[in-house]
Amino acid sequence: KQGFKRDRADPLSELAPLLSPICLNDDTSALTLLVKLGRTQDAATAYAARRTLLLTESLGERPITSSGTMDVVIYTAQLSQGFFSCLATAVEGFLDLYLGEHPPENSILEDPTEENMSILTREITSKVPAGALASIVLWCDLELSKFAAAFGGPKILGQLALSPPLILERGDDESKSKAKIQKTRDRETAIELASKCVDQAFQLASENLDSIGLPLSQRLADYFRGRLRGCEAEIAAQLRGKWDHVIYDWLTPNSVLEGENHRKSRTENWE
């Protein structure tokens, strides 16, 4: 009853964030002190723990519209922009603890050459301890898996009729054949929408993370694959030409359950 009264008194209470971004950087002084004392691992752990709250909040963002099927694509763009911009800001804030508030003149933000389009630049590796840098990169990977779980959840892919292809058999009666044909049409529509959603996620991840030298599109593709319910090859075919360097292995037959474990031999760079 008291909760009902509070909601009625404040109709905008549902729109208020659980975590205020204004208070997010209140720990800057404490983190800087930990870095100066040489406790870089503690600084990385504390920094990541607080930023996780903001990323979790971004994953719970309410859709700005809910009037049709295409809203799934709109919500994907909304969710992706909020999450990946927060993640990029968090990584930059962590590096600022060691590099200072203003990036050096030859930083990856100032020099977009192929050599410097990586978080492992000479400036960063010389000032940021390897253990702290590894911790924050692994934290990014963990948060990426949470985004993939939200992407494959009921708000996006869960609304689409994705499934392995149906096979029409000679023994099917007319009603059963019609049902399969209808399911096939629904499946084709779902694949088209899922392709647009995947495209939006890759696009916004690339725009926000590549610019700070942390390209995570391939890791995102690994996490996505296990949630596409056997439709990854058809989705890859629709995205061919744009994301071939990321989803080239989706065209290879593979168990749905093995999607997130694919290319394990290439994960050594993350450890």
Side-chain angles (χ1 to χ4, degrees):
K1 186 176 180 180
Q2 294 297 326
F4 175 75
K5 288 182 178 180
R6 285 194 298 269
D7 292 341
R8 186 174 59 181
D10 185 8
L12 298 179
S13 60
E14 292 186 356
L15 302 179
L18 298 177
L19 177 68
S20 174
I22 298 175
C23 303
L24 189 63
N25 294 319
D26 285 353
D27 58 351
T28 302
S29 299
L31 291 172
T32 302
L33 183 59
L34 284 174
V35 171
K36 290 181 178 179
L37 292 175
R39 298 172 58 181
T40 56
Q41 200 67 36
D42 291 339
T45 302
Y47 184 90
R50 195 163 190 182
R51 275 68 192 173
T52 294
L53 297 177
L54 183 62
L55 290 171
T56 302
E57 175 68 17
S58 71
L59 290 178
E61 189 174 0
R62 298 170 182 85
I64 58 176
T65 177
S66 57
S67 59
T69 310
M70 281 299 295
D71 290 345
V72 176
V73 181
I74 297 173
Y75 182 62
T76 300
Q78 176 188 348
L79 194 71
S80 300
Q81 177 59 32
F83 179 84
F84 291 118
S85 62
C86 287
L87 185 60
T89 301
V91 173
E92 288 182 304
F94 175 76
L95 296 178
D96 285 344
L97 293 175
Y98 299 88
L99 304 179
E101 295 184 358
H102 303 288
E105 294 182 359
N106 61 340
S107 71
I108 56 177
L109 300 178
E110 297 285 339
D111 184 7
T113 61
E114 184 177 353
E115 180 181 359
N116 285 323
M117 286 304 291
S118 168
I119 197 173
L120 299 177
T121 60
R122 182 179 303 177
E123 181 74 23
I124 290 176
T125 54
S126 63
K127 292 187 177 181
V128 183
L133 189 59
S135 295
I136 211 68
V137 171
L138 290 174
W139 169 75
C140 289
D141 189 56
L142 176 62
E143 295 303 318
L144 206 65
S145 68
K146 295 178 183 178
F147 175 83
F151 183 84
K155 290 185 177 180
I156 299 180
L157 293 185
Q159 295 192 30
L160 305 178
L162 295 174
S163 64
L166 298 173
I167 301 175
L168 294 176
E169 299 178 357
R170 292 183 179 181
D172 293 343
D173 55 28
E174 184 177 355
S175 60
K176 194 172 183 179
S177 298
K178 287 183 178 179
K180 285 188 176 181
I181 292 173
Q182 183 58 45
K183 287 183 179 179
T184 299
R185 291 174 180 172
D186 294 341
R187 179 177 178 275
E188 291 173 354
T189 302
I191 289 175
E192 183 180 354
L193 289 173
S195 300
K196 294 179 180 178
C197 292
V198 170
D199 179 52
Q200 286 291 323
F202 282 155
Q203 182 67 39
L204 292 168
S206 179
E207 289 178 1
N208 286 282
L209 298 177
D210 289 5
S211 62
I212 65 168
L214 191 63
L216 294 175
S217 297
Q218 286 191 345
R219 290 295 293 168
L220 192 61
D222 289 340
Y223 285 127
F224 278 177
R225 188 177 187 183
R227 294 178 166 84
L228 297 177
R229 305 173 197 171
C231 300
E232 62 270 17
E234 290 151 294
I235 292 174
Q238 294 206 17
L239 297 176
R240 184 173 294 172
K242 186 174 183 180
W243 301 108
D244 290 349
H245 62 292
V246 174
I247 57 175
Y248 62 89
D249 55 351
W250 285 13
L251 295 170
T252 304
N254 191 34
S255 170
V256 175
L257 297 178
E258 295 174 354
E260 294 185 12
N261 298 322
H262 201 63
R263 293 200 303 258
K264 273 190 173 180
S265 60
R266 298 185 176 91
T267 60
E268 295 177 357
N269 295 329
W270 293 84
E271 299 177 354

